Amino acid sequence: MSIKLGVNIDHVATIREARYRGRGFGEPDPVAAALACEESGAHGITAHLREDRRHIQDRDVRALREKIQTRLNLEMANAPEMIDIALQVKPDIVCLVPEKREEVTTEGGLDVVGNLSAISRTCQRMIEAGIEVSLFIGPDIEQVEAAAKTGAQFIELHTGAFAEAFGDNEAREVELKRLAAGAELANQLGLQVNAGHGLNYENTLVLLQHIPHLVELNIGHSIISRSLSVGIAQAVKEMLAILR
Ligand code: PXP
């Protein structure tokens, strides 16, 4: 079975907010983009409701929940406001991501080790509500081990350092080894493994050739960027072809 593609539509909302911030309407519409992604074969839609509402708005999340047919992955901080919204909207899965500096590890992912009890409490609340949980972490052994203690079913490995290192063969190898080790350990500990951040039409194939156990990739910026040239349907299809 091929690896699944979740399309992150935040940057569609980024463009809308650049012109229509605070207006409650405007183009382009991230929900329309999500539906077009699904029509082209995307397996899920990812949206990050930030505490500063920089791109996705509350109304987008509600409309996505109503209209999309695939899975809704709500990325959010582990904050009371976001937890309440998730419990109301009931996405299929939430991905806990860091937003405040103290929640971030040196890898740029969520500091699960330093926030173990708060994250575990949120995992429990989500799982009781029938919502799956993923934790966005760097490929750090301690973070993976901590993630396995929280009750979360998934981790999403942060591929940002790999994407940054892509042009430097030596650095790229280091990052690939770390991601592969993280994925291997997560699998051994019973976690399912997603990955994302900074993936594009060039580096994704290399990632797939080296990292075992991947279930889903969450990709946003490169797909939305490519859609300016070829349209969103074609941009999604090209990425799906890579995943196959
Ligand atoms: N996964 C997570 C947890 C993210 O925060 C982001 C960025 O919002 C992505 C995936 C997608 O990253 P990109 O837009 O670079 O593809």
Side-chain angles (χ1 to χ4, degrees), residues 199-219:
L199 297 178
N200 60 33
Y201 293 86
E202 197 183 357
N203 63 25
T204 296
L205 189 58
V206 176
L207 183 91
L208 295 177
Q209 285 164 342
H210 289 83
I211 313 304
H213 310 302
L214 288 172
V215 175
E216 180 173 283
L217 300 183
N218 284 306
I219 306 181

mmCIF file of all heavy atoms in Angstrom, residues 199-219:
data_model
loop_
_atom_site.group_PDB
_atom_site.id
_atom_site.type_symbol
_atom_site.label_atom_id
_atom_site.label_comp_id
_atom_site.label_asym_id
_atom_site.label_seq_id
_atom_site.Cartn_x
_atom_site.Cartn_y
_atom_site.Cartn_z
ATOM 1 N N LEU A 199 8.955 19.251 3.041
ATOM 2 C CA LEU A 199 9.060 18.231 1.981
ATOM 3 C C LEU A 199 8.596 18.827 0.651
ATOM 4 O O LEU A 199 7.647 19.615 0.609
ATOM 5 C CB LEU A 199 8.229 16.997 2.349
ATOM 6 C CG LEU A 199 8.701 16.286 3.625
ATOM 7 C CD1 LEU A 199 7.804 15.099 3.941
ATOM 8 C CD2 LEU A 199 10.170 15.847 3.509
ATOM 9 N N ASN A 200 9.279 18.421 -0.420
ATOM 10 C CA ASN A 200 8.941 18.968 -1.735
ATOM 11 C C ASN A 200 9.103 17.896 -2.811
ATOM 12 O O ASN A 200 9.340 16.726 -2.504
ATOM 13 C CB ASN A 200 9.781 20.220 -2.030
ATOM 14 C CG ASN A 200 11.271 19.915 -2.014
ATOM 15 O OD1 ASN A 200 11.704 18.819 -2.390
ATOM 16 N ND2 ASN A 200 12.059 20.884 -1.576
ATOM 17 N N TYR A 201 8.991 18.311 -4.087
ATOM 18 C CA TYR A 201 8.995 17.349 -5.194
ATOM 19 C C TYR A 201 10.380 16.742 -5.422
ATOM 20 O O TYR A 201 10.518 15.794 -6.177
ATOM 21 C CB TYR A 201 8.471 18.025 -6.464
ATOM 22 C CG TYR A 201 7.004 18.378 -6.339
ATOM 23 C CD1 TYR A 201 6.611 19.589 -5.759
ATOM 24 C CD2 TYR A 201 6.012 17.486 -6.723
ATOM 25 C CE1 TYR A 201 5.271 19.901 -5.592
ATOM 26 C CE2 TYR A 201 4.671 17.789 -6.567
ATOM 27 C CZ TYR A 201 4.304 19.002 -5.999
ATOM 28 O OH TYR A 201 2.976 19.305 -5.827
ATOM 29 N N GLU A 202 11.393 17.290 -4.771
ATOM 30 C CA GLU A 202 12.747 16.776 -4.940
ATOM 31 C C GLU A 202 13.151 15.903 -3.748
ATOM 32 O O GLU A 202 13.637 14.792 -3.920
ATOM 33 C CB GLU A 202 13.698 17.975 -5.064
ATOM 34 C CG GLU A 202 15.041 17.609 -5.638
ATOM 35 C CD GLU A 202 15.969 18.817 -5.683
ATOM 36 O OE1 GLU A 202 15.545 19.937 -5.314
ATOM 37 O OE2 GLU A 202 17.124 18.621 -6.079
ATOM 38 N N ASN A 203 12.932 16.393 -2.545
ATOM 39 C CA ASN A 203 13.467 15.664 -1.388
ATOM 40 C C ASN A 203 12.572 14.519 -0.896
ATOM 41 O O ASN A 203 13.034 13.636 -0.174
ATOM 42 C CB ASN A 203 13.815 16.635 -0.239
ATOM 43 C CG ASN A 203 12.607 17.382 0.314
ATOM 44 O OD1 ASN A 203 11.481 16.920 0.216
ATOM 45 N ND2 ASN A 203 12.845 18.552 0.911
ATOM 46 N N THR A 204 11.315 14.522 -1.287
ATOM 47 C CA THR A 204 10.389 13.510 -0.751
ATOM 48 C C THR A 204 10.783 12.095 -1.174
ATOM 49 O O THR A 204 10.751 11.161 -0.358
ATOM 50 C CB THR A 204 8.939 13.831 -1.185
ATOM 51 O OG1 THR A 204 8.575 15.080 -0.584
ATOM 52 C CG2 THR A 204 7.960 12.765 -0.740
ATOM 53 N N LEU A 205 11.179 11.922 -2.431
ATOM 54 C CA LEU A 205 11.555 10.587 -2.895
ATOM 55 C C LEU A 205 12.757 10.065 -2.109
ATOM 56 O O LEU A 205 12.795 8.890 -1.716
ATOM 57 C CB LEU A 205 11.872 10.625 -4.397
ATOM 58 C CG LEU A 205 12.068 9.266 -5.052
ATOM 59 C CD1 LEU A 205 10.838 8.381 -4.882
ATOM 60 C CD2 LEU A 205 12.395 9.442 -6.533
ATOM 61 N N VAL A 206 13.727 10.933 -1.857
ATOM 62 C CA VAL A 206 14.920 10.525 -1.097
ATOM 63 C C VAL A 206 14.509 10.118 0.315
ATOM 64 O O VAL A 206 14.964 9.097 0.837
ATOM 65 C CB VAL A 206 15.956 11.679 -1.063
ATOM 66 C CG1 VAL A 206 17.152 11.304 -0.202
ATOM 67 C CG2 VAL A 206 16.393 12.029 -2.483
ATOM 68 N N LEU A 207 13.618 10.879 0.908
ATOM 69 C CA LEU A 207 13.130 10.529 2.251
ATOM 70 C C LEU A 207 12.504 9.130 2.244
ATOM 71 O O LEU A 207 12.814 8.292 3.084
ATOM 72 C CB LEU A 207 12.103 11.567 2.717
ATOM 73 C CG LEU A 207 11.598 11.337 4.133
ATOM 74 C CD1 LEU A 207 12.475 12.088 5.130
ATOM 75 C CD2 LEU A 207 10.157 11.779 4.305
ATOM 76 N N LEU A 208 11.645 8.904 1.249
ATOM 77 C CA LEU A 208 10.935 7.616 1.191
ATOM 78 C C LEU A 208 11.893 6.450 0.987
ATOM 79 O O LEU A 208 11.632 5.338 1.450
ATOM 80 C CB LEU A 208 9.910 7.638 0.043
ATOM 81 C CG LEU A 208 8.766 8.637 0.191
ATOM 82 C CD1 LEU A 208 7.873 8.615 -1.028
ATOM 83 C CD2 LEU A 208 7.961 8.353 1.444
ATOM 84 N N GLN A 209 12.994 6.704 0.285
ATOM 85 C CA GLN A 209 13.959 5.623 0.028
ATOM 86 C C GLN A 209 14.738 5.238 1.290
ATOM 87 O O GLN A 209 15.346 4.187 1.335
ATOM 88 C CB GLN A 209 14.927 6.058 -1.084
ATOM 89 C CG GLN A 209 14.269 6.012 -2.460
ATOM 90 C CD GLN A 209 15.046 6.785 -3.509
ATOM 91 O OE1 GLN A 209 15.891 7.624 -3.187
ATOM 92 N NE2 GLN A 209 14.756 6.518 -4.765
ATOM 93 N N HIS A 210 14.738 6.098 2.278
ATOM 94 C CA HIS A 210 15.579 5.845 3.455
ATOM 95 C C HIS A 210 14.823 5.607 4.761
ATOM 96 O O HIS A 210 15.395 5.090 5.713
ATOM 97 C CB HIS A 210 16.535 7.035 3.680
ATOM 98 C CG HIS A 210 17.601 7.108 2.640
ATOM 99 N ND1 HIS A 210 17.410 7.687 1.408
ATOM 100 C CD2 HIS A 210 18.870 6.644 2.643
ATOM 101 C CE1 HIS A 210 18.516 7.598 0.702
ATOM 102 N NE2 HIS A 210 19.421 6.966 1.419
ATOM 103 N N ILE A 211 13.579 6.040 4.848
ATOM 104 C CA ILE A 211 12.892 5.996 6.150
ATOM 105 C C ILE A 211 11.836 4.888 6.145
ATOM 106 O O ILE A 211 10.903 4.929 5.336
ATOM 107 C CB ILE A 211 12.224 7.356 6.488
ATOM 108 C CG1 ILE A 211 13.186 8.520 6.233
ATOM 109 C CG2 ILE A 211 11.703 7.362 7.929
ATOM 110 C CD1 ILE A 211 14.503 8.435 6.961
ATOM 111 N N PRO A 212 11.954 3.930 7.063
ATOM 112 C CA PRO A 212 10.980 2.841 7.119
ATOM 113 C C PRO A 212 9.702 3.245 7.866
ATOM 114 O O PRO A 212 9.687 4.257 8.581
ATOM 115 C CB PRO A 212 11.727 1.753 7.909
ATOM 116 C CG PRO A 212 12.625 2.521 8.832
ATOM 117 C CD PRO A 212 13.011 3.778 8.094
ATOM 118 N N HIS A 213 8.676 2.439 7.704
ATOM 119 C CA HIS A 213 7.452 2.482 8.532
ATOM 120 C C HIS A 213 6.592 3.734 8.345
ATOM 121 O O HIS A 213 5.739 4.012 9.194
ATOM 122 C CB HIS A 213 7.786 2.356 10.033
ATOM 123 C CG HIS A 213 8.684 1.217 10.368
ATOM 124 N ND1 HIS A 213 8.359 -0.087 10.065
ATOM 125 C CD2 HIS A 213 9.900 1.178 10.964
ATOM 126 C CE1 HIS A 213 9.335 -0.881 10.471
ATOM 127 N NE2 HIS A 213 10.290 -0.143 11.014
ATOM 128 N N LEU A 214 6.813 4.498 7.277
ATOM 129 C CA LEU A 214 6.019 5.730 7.147
ATOM 130 C C LEU A 214 4.576 5.413 6.754
ATOM 131 O O LEU A 214 4.325 4.623 5.855
ATOM 132 C CB LEU A 214 6.643 6.663 6.106
ATOM 133 C CG LEU A 214 7.940 7.331 6.525
ATOM 134 C CD1 LEU A 214 8.558 8.075 5.342
ATOM 135 C CD2 LEU A 214 7.720 8.289 7.696
ATOM 136 N N VAL A 215 3.664 6.048 7.443
ATOM 137 C CA VAL A 215 2.233 5.878 7.155
ATOM 138 C C VAL A 215 1.733 7.028 6.281
ATOM 139 O O VAL A 215 1.051 6.815 5.284
ATOM 140 C CB VAL A 215 1.415 5.829 8.474
ATOM 141 C CG1 VAL A 215 -0.084 5.783 8.180
ATOM 142 C CG2 VAL A 215 1.837 4.642 9.315
ATOM 143 N N GLU A 216 2.090 8.253 6.647
ATOM 144 C CA GLU A 216 1.549 9.428 5.944
ATOM 145 C C GLU A 216 2.562 10.568 5.960
ATOM 146 O O GLU A 216 3.262 10.758 6.961
ATOM 147 C CB GLU A 216 0.259 9.887 6.647
ATOM 148 C CG GLU A 216 -0.392 11.103 6.004
ATOM 149 C CD GLU A 216 -1.751 11.437 6.625
ATOM 150 O OE1 GLU A 216 -2.728 10.739 6.307
ATOM 151 O OE2 GLU A 216 -1.818 12.357 7.444
ATOM 152 N N LEU A 217 2.596 11.303 4.867
ATOM 153 C CA LEU A 217 3.381 12.546 4.824
ATOM 154 C C LEU A 217 2.410 13.718 4.793
ATOM 155 O O LEU A 217 1.400 13.676 4.080
ATOM 156 C CB LEU A 217 4.269 12.589 3.579
ATOM 157 C CG LEU A 217 5.298 11.471 3.426
ATOM 158 C CD1 LEU A 217 6.147 11.705 2.176
ATOM 159 C CD2 LEU A 217 6.196 11.364 4.657
ATOM 160 N N ASN A 218 2.723 14.745 5.551
ATOM 161 C CA ASN A 218 1.935 15.980 5.507
ATOM 162 C C ASN A 218 2.750 17.048 4.794
ATOM 163 O O ASN A 218 3.810 17.441 5.266
ATOM 164 C CB ASN A 218 1.571 16.423 6.921
ATOM 165 C CG ASN A 218 0.464 15.575 7.481
ATOM 166 O OD1 ASN A 218 -0.583 15.442 6.852
ATOM 167 N ND2 ASN A 218 0.693 14.966 8.624
ATOM 168 N N ILE A 219 2.214 17.478 3.654
ATOM 169 C CA ILE A 219 2.971 18.393 2.801
ATOM 170 C C ILE A 219 2.090 19.580 2.431
ATOM 171 O O ILE A 219 0.942 19.399 2.015
ATOM 172 C CB ILE A 219 3.464 17.663 1.527
ATOM 173 C CG1 ILE A 219 4.243 16.399 1.918
ATOM 174 C CG2 ILE A 219 4.319 18.606 0.673
ATOM 175 C CD1 ILE A 219 4.802 15.607 0.747
#
